[in-house]
Structures are given as C-alpha cells and as structure tokens.
Coordinates of all heavy atoms in Angstrom, one line a residue:
M1 N 0.9 -1.2 0.0 CA 0.0 0.0 0.0 C 0.9 1.2 0.0 O 1.9 1.3 0.6 CB -0.9 0.0 1.2 CG -1.9 1.1 1.2 SD -3.2 1.0 2.5 CE -4.0 -0.4 1.9
K2 N 0.5 2.2 -0.7 CA 1.2 3.5 -0.8 C 1.3 4.3 0.5 O 0.4 4.2 1.3 CB 0.5 4.4 -1.9 CG 1.3 5.6 -2.4 CD 0.4 6.1 -3.5 CE 0.8 7.6 -3.7 NZ -0.1 8.3 -4.7
K3 N 2.4 4.9 0.8 CA 2.6 5.6 2.0 C 1.5 6.6 2.2 O 1.1 7.4 1.2 CB 4.0 6.3 2.0 CG 4.3 7.0 3.3 CD 5.7 7.6 3.2 CE 5.9 8.3 4.6 NZ 7.3 8.9 4.6
G4 N 1.0 6.8 3.4 CA -0.1 7.8 3.6 C -1.5 7.3 3.3 O -2.5 7.9 3.5
R5 N -1.6 6.0 2.8 CA -2.9 5.4 2.4 C -3.3 4.4 3.6 O -2.4 3.7 4.2 CB -2.9 4.7 1.1 CG -2.6 5.7 0.0 CD -2.8 5.0 -1.3 NE -4.1 4.6 -1.7 CZ -5.0 5.3 -2.5 NH1 -4.5 6.3 -3.2 NH2 -6.2 4.9 -2.6
F6 N -4.6 4.2 3.7 CA -5.0 3.3 4.7 C -6.5 2.8 4.3 O -7.1 3.5 3.4 CB -5.0 3.7 6.1 CG -5.8 5.0 6.4 CD1 -7.1 4.9 6.9 CD2 -5.3 6.2 6.1 CE1 -7.8 6.0 7.1 CE2 -6.0 7.4 6.4 CZ -7.3 7.3 6.9
I7 N -6.9 1.7 4.8 CA -8.2 1.2 4.5 C -9.1 1.5 5.7 O -8.7 1.0 6.8 CB -8.3 -0.2 4.0 CG1 -7.5 -0.5 2.8 CG2 -9.7 -0.7 4.0 CD1 -7.3 -1.9 2.4
W8 N -10.2 2.2 5.6 CA -11.1 2.5 6.6 C -12.1 1.3 6.6 O -12.6 0.9 5.5 CB -11.8 3.8 6.4 CG -13.0 4.0 7.3 CD1 -13.0 4.5 8.5 CD2 -14.3 3.6 7.2 NE1 -14.2 4.6 9.2 CE2 -15.1 3.9 8.3 CE3 -15.1 2.9 6.2 CZ2 -16.4 3.7 8.5 CZ3 -16.4 2.6 6.3 CH2 -17.1 3.0 7.5
R9 N -12.5 0.7 7.7 CA -13.4 -0.3 7.8 C -14.5 0.2 8.9 O -14.1 0.7 10.0 CB -12.8 -1.6 8.2 CG -11.9 -2.1 7.2 CD -11.6 -3.6 7.4 NE -10.6 -4.1 6.5 CZ -10.7 -4.3 5.2 NH1 -11.8 -4.2 4.7 NH2 -9.6 -4.8 4.6
G10 N -15.7 -0.1 8.6 CA -16.8 0.2 9.5 C -16.8 -0.7 10.7 O -16.1 -1.7 10.8
F11 N -17.5 -0.3 11.8 CA -17.6 -1.0 13.0 C -19.1 -1.5 13.2 O -20.1 -0.9 12.6 CB -17.2 -0.2 14.2 CG -15.8 0.2 14.2 CD1 -15.5 1.5 13.8 CD2 -14.8 -0.6 14.6 CE1 -14.1 1.9 13.7 CE2 -13.5 -0.3 14.5 CZ -13.2 1.0 14.2
G12 N -19.3 -2.6 13.9 CA -20.6 -3.0 14.3 C -21.4 -3.5 12.9 O -20.8 -4.2 12.1
L13 N -22.6 -3.0 12.7 CA -23.3 -3.3 11.6 C -22.7 -2.8 10.3 O -22.9 -3.3 9.2 CB -24.7 -2.7 11.7 CG -25.7 -3.3 12.7 CD1 -27.0 -2.5 12.8 CD2 -25.9 -4.8 12.5
L14 N -21.8 -1.8 10.4 CA -21.2 -1.2 9.3 C -19.9 -1.9 8.9 O -19.1 -1.5 8.0 CB -20.8 0.3 9.4 CG -22.1 1.2 9.7 CD1 -21.6 2.5 10.0 CD2 -23.0 1.1 8.5
K15 N -19.6 -3.1 9.6 CA -18.3 -3.8 9.4 C -18.1 -4.3 7.9 O -17.0 -4.4 7.5 CB -18.3 -5.0 10.3 CG -17.0 -5.6 10.4 CD -17.0 -6.7 11.5 CE -15.5 -7.2 11.6 NZ -15.4 -8.0 12.8
I16 N -19.2 -4.5 7.2 CA -19.0 -4.9 5.8 C -18.6 -3.8 4.8 O -18.2 -4.0 3.7 CB -20.4 -5.5 5.3 CG1 -21.5 -4.3 5.3 CG2 -20.9 -6.7 6.0 CD1 -22.7 -4.7 4.5
L17 N -18.6 -2.5 5.4 CA -18.2 -1.4 4.5 C -16.7 -1.1 4.6 O -16.1 -1.3 5.7 CB -19.0 -0.2 4.9 CG -20.5 -0.2 4.8 CD1 -21.1 1.1 5.3 CD2 -20.8 -0.4 3.3
S18 N -16.1 -0.7 3.5 CA -14.6 -0.2 3.6 C -14.5 0.7 2.4 O -15.1 0.7 1.5 CB -13.7 -1.4 3.5 OG -13.8 -2.1 2.3
S19 N -13.4 1.5 2.6 CA -13.0 2.4 1.5 C -11.5 2.8 1.7 O -11.0 2.7 2.9 CB -13.8 3.6 1.4 OG -13.7 4.5 2.5
Q20 N -10.7 3.0 0.7 CA -9.4 3.5 0.8 C -9.3 5.0 1.0 O -10.0 5.8 0.4 CB -8.7 3.1 -0.5 CG -8.5 1.7 -0.7 CD -7.2 1.4 -1.4 OE1 -6.3 2.2 -1.6 NE2 -7.0 0.1 -1.9
W21 N -8.5 5.3 2.0 CA -8.3 6.8 2.3 C -6.8 7.1 2.1 O -5.9 6.2 2.2 CB -8.6 7.0 3.8 CG -10.1 6.8 4.1 CD1 -10.9 5.9 3.7 CD2 -11.0 7.8 4.7 NE1 -12.2 6.1 4.2 CE2 -12.2 7.3 4.7 CE3 -10.6 9.0 5.4 CZ2 -13.2 8.0 5.4 CZ3 -11.7 9.7 6.0 CH2 -12.9 9.2 6.0
E22 N -6.6 8.4 1.8 CA -5.2 8.8 1.7 C -5.0 10.2 2.4 O -5.8 11.1 2.1 CB -4.9 9.0 0.1 CG -3.5 9.6 -0.1 CD -3.4 9.8 -1.6 OE1 -4.3 9.7 -2.4 OE2 -2.2 10.1 -2.0
V23 N -3.9 10.3 3.2 CA -3.6 11.6 3.8 C -2.9 12.4 2.7 O -1.9 12.0 2.1 CB -2.7 11.5 5.0 CG1 -2.3 12.8 5.5 CG2 -3.4 10.7 6.1
V24 N -3.6 13.5 2.2 CA -3.0 14.3 1.1 C -2.1 15.4 1.6 O -1.1 15.6 1.1 CB -4.2 15.0 0.4 CG1 -3.8 15.9 -0.7 CG2 -5.2 13.9 -0.2
T25 N -2.5 16.1 2.7 CA -1.8 17.2 3.3 C -1.9 17.1 4.8 O -3.0 16.9 5.3 CB -2.3 18.5 2.8 OG1 -2.1 18.6 1.4 CG2 -1.5 19.7 3.4
M26 N -0.7 17.3 5.5 CA -0.8 17.4 7.0 C 0.3 18.4 7.3 O 1.4 18.0 7.3 CB -0.5 16.1 7.6 CG -0.7 16.1 9.1 SD -0.7 14.5 9.9 CE 0.9 13.7 9.4
K27 N -0.1 19.7 7.4 CA 0.9 20.7 7.8 C 0.2 21.8 8.5 O -1.0 22.0 8.4 CB 1.6 21.2 6.6 CG 0.8 21.8 5.5 CD 1.7 22.1 4.3 CE 0.9 22.6 3.1 NZ 1.7 22.8 2.0
D28 N 1.0 22.5 9.4 CA 0.5 23.5 10.2 C -0.8 23.1 10.9 O -0.8 22.1 11.6 CB 0.2 24.8 9.4 CG 1.4 25.3 8.6 OD1 2.6 25.2 9.2 OD2 1.3 25.8 7.4
D29 N -1.9 23.7 10.7 CA -3.2 23.4 11.4 C -4.2 22.8 10.5 O -5.4 22.8 10.7 CB -3.8 24.7 12.0 CG -2.9 25.3 13.0 OD1 -2.4 24.5 13.9 OD2 -2.7 26.5 13.1
I30 N -3.7 22.1 9.4 CA -4.6 21.5 8.4 C -4.3 20.2 8.1 O -3.2 19.7 8.0 CB -4.4 22.3 7.1 CG1 -4.8 23.8 7.3 CG2 -5.2 21.7 5.9 CD1 -4.2 24.7 6.2
L31 N -5.3 19.3 8.0 CA -5.3 17.9 7.6 C -6.3 17.7 6.4 O -7.4 18.1 6.6 CB -5.6 17.0 8.7 CG -5.7 15.5 8.4 CD1 -4.3 15.0 8.0 CD2 -6.3 14.7 9.6
I32 N -5.8 17.2 5.2 CA -6.7 16.9 4.2 C -6.6 15.5 3.9 O -5.5 14.9 3.7 CB -6.3 17.7 2.9 CG1 -6.4 19.3 3.2 CG2 -7.2 17.3 1.7 CD1 -6.0 20.1 2.0
I33 N -7.7 14.8 3.8 CA -7.8 13.3 3.5 C -8.8 13.2 2.3 O -9.8 13.7 2.2 CB -8.4 12.6 4.8 CG1 -7.6 12.9 6.0 CG2 -8.5 11.1 4.4 CD1 -8.2 12.3 7.2
R34 N -8.3 12.3 1.4 CA -9.1 12.0 0.2 C -9.6 10.5 0.4 O -8.8 9.7 0.8 CB -8.2 12.1 -1.1 CG -8.9 11.7 -2.3 CD -8.0 11.9 -3.5 NE -7.7 13.2 -3.8 CZ -6.4 13.7 -3.8 NH1 -5.4 12.9 -3.6 NH2 -6.1 15.0 -4.0
F35 N -10.8 10.2 0.1 CA -11.3 8.9 0.2 C -12.0 8.4 -1.0 O -12.7 9.2 -1.7 CB -12.2 8.8 1.5 CG -13.3 9.8 1.6 CD1 -14.5 9.5 1.1 CD2 -13.0 11.0 2.2 CE1 -15.6 10.5 1.2 CE2 -14.0 12.0 2.2 CZ -15.3 11.7 1.8
E36 N -12.0 7.1 -1.2 CA -12.7 6.5 -2.3 C -14.2 6.2 -1.9 O -14.5 6.2 -0.7 CB -12.0 5.1 -2.7 CG -10.6 5.3 -3.0 CD -10.3 6.0 -4.2 OE1 -11.1 5.8 -5.2 OE2 -9.3 6.7 -4.4
K37 N -15.0 5.9 -2.9 CA -16.4 5.7 -2.6 C -16.5 4.3 -1.9 O -15.7 3.4 -2.0 CB -17.2 5.7 -3.9 CG -16.9 4.5 -4.7 CD -17.9 4.5 -6.0 CE -17.7 3.3 -6.8 NZ -18.8 3.1 -7.8
S38 N -17.6 4.2 -1.1 CA -18.0 3.0 -0.5 C -19.4 2.6 -1.0 O -20.0 3.3 -1.9 CB -18.0 3.2 1.1 OG -19.1 3.9 1.4
L39 N -19.9 1.5 -0.5 CA -21.3 1.2 -0.9 C -22.4 2.2 -0.6 O -23.4 2.3 -1.3 CB -21.7 -0.1 -0.2 CG -20.9 -1.3 -0.7 CD1 -21.4 -2.6 0.2 CD2 -21.2 -1.6 -2.1
L40 N -22.1 3.1 0.4 CA -23.1 4.1 0.9 C -22.7 5.5 0.6 O -23.5 6.4 0.7 CB -23.4 3.9 2.3 CG -24.0 2.5 2.8 CD1 -24.1 2.5 4.3 CD2 -25.2 2.2 2.0
T41 N -21.4 5.8 0.3 CA -21.0 7.2 0.1 C -20.1 7.3 -1.1 O -19.4 6.4 -1.5 CB -20.1 7.6 1.4 OG1 -19.0 6.8 1.5 CG2 -20.9 7.5 2.6
P42 N -20.3 8.5 -1.7 CA -19.4 8.9 -2.9 C -18.0 9.1 -2.4 O -17.7 9.3 -1.3 CB -20.0 10.1 -3.5 CG -20.7 10.8 -2.3 CD -21.1 9.7 -1.4
S43 N -17.1 9.2 -3.4 CA -15.7 9.6 -3.1 C -15.7 11.1 -2.7 O -16.6 11.8 -3.0 CB -14.8 9.3 -4.3 OG -15.2 10.0 -5.4
G44 N -14.6 11.5 -2.0 CA -14.6 12.9 -1.6 C -13.3 13.2 -0.9 O -12.4 12.5 -0.8
I45 N -13.3 14.4 -0.4 CA -12.2 14.9 0.5 C -12.7 15.4 1.8 O -13.9 15.9 1.8 CB -11.3 16.0 -0.2 CG1 -12.1 17.1 -0.6 CG2 -10.6 15.4 -1.4 CD1 -11.3 18.3 -1.0
D46 N -11.9 15.3 2.8 CA -12.3 16.0 4.1 C -11.2 16.9 4.4 O -10.0 16.5 4.3 CB -12.4 14.9 5.3 CG -13.6 14.2 5.3 OD1 -14.6 14.6 4.7 OD2 -13.7 13.1 6.0
I47 N -11.4 18.1 4.8 CA -10.5 19.1 5.2 C -10.8 19.5 6.6 O -11.8 20.0 6.9 CB -10.6 20.4 4.3 CG1 -10.4 20.0 2.8 CG2 -9.6 21.5 4.7 CD1 -10.6 21.2 1.9
L48 N -9.8 19.2 7.4 CA -9.9 19.5 8.9 C -9.0 20.6 9.3 O -7.8 20.5 8.9 CB -9.7 18.2 9.7 CG -10.7 17.1 9.4 CD1 -10.1 16.2 8.4 CD2 -10.9 16.4 10.7
V49 N -9.5 21.6 10.0 CA -8.7 22.7 10.5 C -8.8 22.7 12.0 O -9.8 22.5 12.6 CB -9.3 24.1 9.9 CG1 -8.4 25.2 10.4 CG2 -9.3 24.0 8.4
R50 N -7.6 22.8 12.6 CA -7.5 22.8 14.0 C -8.6 23.8 14.7 O -8.8 24.9 14.3 CB -6.2 23.2 14.5 CG -5.9 22.9 16.0 CD -4.4 23.3 16.4 NE -3.5 22.5 15.7 CZ -3.1 21.3 16.0 NH1 -3.6 20.7 17.0 NH2 -2.2 20.7 15.3
K51 N -9.2 23.2 15.7 CA -10.2 24.0 16.5 C -9.7 25.3 16.9 O -8.5 25.3 17.5 CB -10.8 23.1 17.6 CG -11.9 23.8 18.4 CD -12.3 22.8 19.5 CE -13.5 23.5 20.3 NZ -14.0 22.5 21.4
G52 N -10.5 26.4 16.8 CA -10.1 27.7 17.3 C -9.3 28.5 16.2 O -9.0 29.6 16.4
K53 N -8.9 27.9 15.1 CA -8.3 28.6 14.0 C -9.2 29.2 13.0 O -10.2 28.6 12.7 CB -7.3 27.6 13.2 CG -6.2 27.0 14.2 CD -5.3 28.1 14.6 CE -4.2 27.6 15.5 NZ -3.2 28.6 15.9
D54 N -8.8 30.4 12.6 CA -9.7 31.1 11.6 C -9.5 30.5 10.2 O -8.4 30.4 9.7 CB -9.2 32.5 11.6 CG -10.0 33.4 10.5 OD1 -11.1 32.9 10.1 OD2 -9.5 34.5 10.1
I55 N -10.5 30.0 9.6 CA -10.5 29.2 8.4 C -10.5 30.2 7.1 O -10.3 29.8 6.1 CB -11.5 28.1 8.1 CG1 -12.9 28.7 8.1 CG2 -11.4 27.1 9.3 CD1 -13.9 27.7 7.6
S56 N -10.9 31.5 7.3 CA -10.9 32.3 6.2 C -9.7 32.4 5.3 O -9.7 32.4 4.1 CB -11.4 33.7 6.5 OG -10.5 34.3 7.5
N57 N -8.5 32.5 6.0 CA -7.2 32.5 5.2 C -7.0 31.3 4.5 O -6.5 31.2 3.4 CB -6.1 32.8 6.2 CG -6.0 34.2 6.7 OD1 -6.7 35.1 6.1 ND2 -5.4 34.4 7.8
F58 N -7.4 30.1 5.1 CA -7.2 28.9 4.5 C -8.2 28.7 3.3 O -7.8 28.1 2.3 CB -7.5 27.7 5.5 CG -7.4 26.4 4.8 CD1 -6.2 25.8 4.4 CD2 -8.5 25.6 4.5 CE1 -6.1 24.7 3.7 CE2 -8.4 24.4 3.9 CZ -7.2 23.9 3.5
Q59 N -9.3 29.2 3.4 CA -10.3 29.2 2.3 C -9.7 29.9 1.0 O -9.7 29.4 0.0 CB -11.6 29.8 2.6 CG -12.4 29.0 3.5 CD -13.7 29.7 4.1 OE1 -13.7 30.8 4.5 NE2 -14.8 28.9 4.1
D60 N -9.1 31.0 1.2 CA -8.4 31.7 0.1 C -7.2 30.9 -0.4 O -7.1 30.7 -1.6 CB -7.8 33.0 0.6 CG -8.9 34.1 0.9 OD1 -10.1 33.9 0.3 OD2 -8.7 35.1 1.5
K61 N -6.5 30.3 0.5 CA -5.4 29.4 0.1 C -5.9 28.2 -0.7 O -5.4 27.9 -1.8 CB -4.6 28.9 1.3 CG -3.4 28.3 0.9 CD -2.5 27.8 2.2 CE -1.2 27.3 1.8 NZ -0.4 27.0 2.9
A62 N -6.9 27.6 -0.4 CA -7.5 26.5 -1.1 C -8.0 26.9 -2.4 O -8.0 26.1 -3.4 CB -8.6 25.8 -0.2
E63 N -8.6 28.1 -2.5 CA -9.1 28.6 -3.7 C -8.0 29.0 -4.8 O -8.1 28.6 -6.0 CB -9.9 29.9 -3.5 CG -10.5 30.5 -4.7 CD -11.5 29.8 -5.5 OE1 -12.2 28.9 -4.8 OE2 -11.7 30.0 -6.7
Y64 N -7.0 29.5 -4.4 CA -6.0 30.0 -5.3 C -4.7 29.3 -5.3 O -3.9 29.4 -6.4 CB -5.6 31.5 -5.0 CG -6.9 32.4 -5.1 CD1 -7.5 32.9 -3.9 CD2 -7.4 32.7 -6.3 CE1 -8.6 33.7 -4.0 CE2 -8.6 33.4 -6.3 CZ -9.2 34.0 -5.2 OH -10.3 34.7 -5.4
T65 N -4.4 28.5 -4.4 CA -3.1 27.7 -4.4 C -3.4 26.3 -4.0 O -2.7 25.7 -3.2 CB -2.1 28.3 -3.5 OG1 -2.5 28.3 -2.1 CG2 -1.6 29.6 -3.9
Y66 N -4.5 25.8 -4.6 CA -5.0 24.4 -4.2 C -3.9 23.3 -4.5 O -3.8 22.3 -3.7 CB -6.3 24.1 -4.9 CG -6.3 24.1 -6.4 CD1 -5.9 23.0 -7.1 CD2 -6.4 25.3 -7.1 CE1 -5.9 23.0 -8.5 CE2 -6.4 25.4 -8.4 CZ -6.1 24.2 -9.1 OH -6.0 24.3 -10.5
E67 N -3.2 23.5 -5.5 CA -2.2 22.4 -5.9 C -1.2 22.3 -4.8 O -0.6 21.2 -4.6 CB -1.5 22.7 -7.2 CG -2.5 22.6 -8.3 CD -1.9 23.0 -9.7 OE1 -1.2 24.1 -9.7 OE2 -2.2 22.4 -10.7
S68 N -0.8 23.4 -4.1 CA 0.2 23.3 -3.1 C -0.3 22.5 -1.8 O 0.5 22.1 -1.0 CB 0.7 24.6 -2.6 OG -0.4 25.3 -1.9
L69 N -1.6 22.4 -1.8 CA -2.3 21.6 -0.7 C -2.5 20.1 -1.1 O -3.1 19.3 -0.4 CB -3.5 22.2 -0.3 CG -3.4 23.6 0.3 CD1 -4.8 24.2 0.5 CD2 -2.7 23.6 1.6
G70 N -2.2 19.7 -2.4 CA -2.5 18.4 -3.0 C -3.8 18.2 -3.5 O -4.2 17.1 -3.7
L71 N -4.6 19.3 -3.6 CA -5.9 19.2 -4.2 C -5.9 19.3 -5.7 O -5.0 19.9 -6.3 CB -6.8 20.3 -3.6 CG -7.1 20.3 -2.1 CD1 -7.8 21.6 -1.7 CD2 -7.9 19.1 -1.7
R72 N -6.9 18.7 -6.3 CA -7.1 18.7 -7.7 C -8.0 19.8 -8.1 O -9.0 20.2 -7.2 CB -7.7 17.4 -8.2 CG -6.8 16.2 -7.9 CD -7.5 14.9 -8.4 NE -6.7 13.7 -7.9 CZ -7.3 12.8 -7.3 NH1 -8.6 12.7 -7.1 NH2 -6.5 11.7 -6.9
A73 N -8.0 20.4 -9.2 CA -8.9 21.5 -9.7 C -10.4 21.1 -9.6 O -11.1 21.8 -9.0 CB -8.6 21.8 -11.2
E74 N -10.8 19.8 -9.8 CA -12.1 19.4 -9.8 C -12.6 19.3 -8.3 O -13.7 19.4 -8.0 CB -12.4 18.1 -10.5 CG -11.7 16.9 -10.1 CD -10.3 16.7 -10.7 OE1 -9.7 17.7 -11.4 OE2 -9.7 15.7 -10.6
E75 N -11.6 19.0 -7.4 CA -11.9 18.9 -6.0 C -12.2 20.4 -5.4 O -13.1 20.5 -4.6 CB -10.8 18.2 -5.1 CG -10.7 16.8 -5.5 CD -9.5 16.1 -4.9 OE1 -8.5 16.8 -4.8 OE2 -9.7 15.0 -4.5
K76 N -11.3 21.3 -5.9 CA -11.4 22.6 -5.4 C -12.8 23.3 -5.6 O -13.3 23.8 -4.7 CB -10.3 23.5 -6.1 CG -10.4 25.0 -5.7 CD -9.6 25.8 -6.6 CE -10.3 25.9 -7.9 NZ -10.3 27.2 -8.5
V77 N -13.3 23.0 -6.7 CA -14.6 23.7 -7.1 C -15.8 23.0 -6.3 O -16.9 23.5 -6.3 CB -14.9 23.7 -8.6 CG1 -13.8 24.5 -9.3 CG2 -14.9 22.3 -9.2
E78 N -15.6 21.8 -5.8 CA -16.6 21.1 -5.1 C -16.6 21.2 -3.6 O -17.5 20.8 -2.9 CB -16.4 19.5 -5.4 CG -16.8 19.1 -6.8 CD -18.1 19.3 -7.2 OE1 -19.0 19.0 -6.4 OE2 -18.4 19.7 -8.4
I79 N -15.7 22.0 -3.0 CA -15.6 22.2 -1.6 C -16.8 23.0 -1.1 O -17.2 23.9 -1.6 CB -14.3 23.0 -1.2 CG1 -13.1 22.2 -1.6 CG2 -14.3 23.3 0.2 CD1 -11.8 22.9 -1.4
K80 N -17.4 22.4 -0.1 CA -18.5 23.0 0.7 C -18.0 23.2 2.1 O -17.7 22.4 2.9 CB -19.7 22.1 0.6 CG -20.3 21.9 -0.7 CD -21.5 20.9 -0.7 CE -22.0 20.7 -2.1 NZ -21.1 20.1 -3.1
W81 N -17.9 24.5 2.4 CA -17.4 24.9 3.8 C -18.5 24.9 4.8 O -19.6 25.5 4.6 CB -16.7 26.3 3.7 CG -15.5 26.3 2.8 CD1 -15.5 26.7 1.5 CD2 -14.2 25.8 3.1 NE1 -14.3 26.6 1.0 CE2 -13.5 26.0 1.9 CE3 -13.6 25.3 4.2 CZ2 -12.1 25.7 1.8 CZ3 -12.3 25.0 4.2 CH2 -11.5 25.2 3.0
L82 N -18.3 24.2 5.9 CA -19.4 24.1 6.9 C -19.0 25.1 8.1 O -17.9 25.4 8.3 CB -19.5 22.7 7.5 CG -19.8 21.7 6.4 CD1 -19.8 20.3 7.0 CD2 -21.1 21.9 5.7

C-alpha cells in the first residue's frame, strides 16, 4: 500500500463497509484526507482545520493555491465549507 494510504473499515453493523483513504496534506493546522467511494458514500475529501483557528485565510489558500495543498482542480470547485 502506498505511504499515507489506509483502508477504513466500519464497525458493528457497518463492518461490511470499507474504503481506501489517503492523507493528502498534513501541515500547520490543516489535515486533508481523500477517500474512495464505499457502498453508501461517494468519493470525496475531508479538510480538517484545528479547532479555534480562523479558516478564512485557508479558504483563500484552497481557492488560489490548491495544488500546493495536494488538491485537484475538480476537488477545489466542489468544496463546501461548513
């Protein structure tokens, strides 16, 4: 398996589910994980920002310098900030 990749497996009733995940970026206060589709979810990315950090600067960085974060152009346009 490629470095930074792992297989997620569900627990309990979800034990039959699995998908491949990859740590794309882990620096400063940011963690970006890309995951493959499973039987119940589409593929996607998770962007986690350390609690208490202002994400507005990161949103600009993700918009304009997404490649430096390991994101693809098609992923950048699909980001939904919560």
Side-chain angles (χ1 to χ4, degrees):
M1 185 170 294
K2 192 172 156 185
K3 185 176 180 179
R5 294 186 71 104
F6 60 96
I7 297 175
W8 173 88
R9 296 200 189 281
F11 296 100
L13 294 174
L14 300 177
K15 192 172 185 170
I16 62 168
L17 300 177
S18 68
S19 66
Q20 290 210 12
W21 290 51
E22 175 185 10
V23 175
V24 176
T25 300
M26 186 170 58
K27 58 183 170 183
D28 302 325
D29 296 317
I30 299 162
L31 173 65
I32 300 176
I33 302 170
R34 182 178 292 122
F35 52 92
E36 303 293 324
K37 70 177 187 166
S38 73
L39 290 173
L40 300 177
T41 61
S43 62
I45 59 169
D46 283 343
I47 300 174
L48 296 95
V49 179
R50 189 177 303 277
K51 185 177 180 177
K53 296 294 179 177
D54 180 18
I55 67 166
S56 59
N57 290 338
F58 177 70
Q59 288 172 314
D60 288 339
K61 187 174 185 178
E63 175 69 24
Y64 299 108
T65 61
Y66 60 92
E67 290 173 324
S68 71
L69 298 170
L71 295 173
R72 301 177 191 131
E74 63 271 14
E75 292 170 327
K76 177 195 73 137
V77 298
E78 294 290 323
I79 294 174
K80 292 177 181 65
W81 298 97
L82 305 176

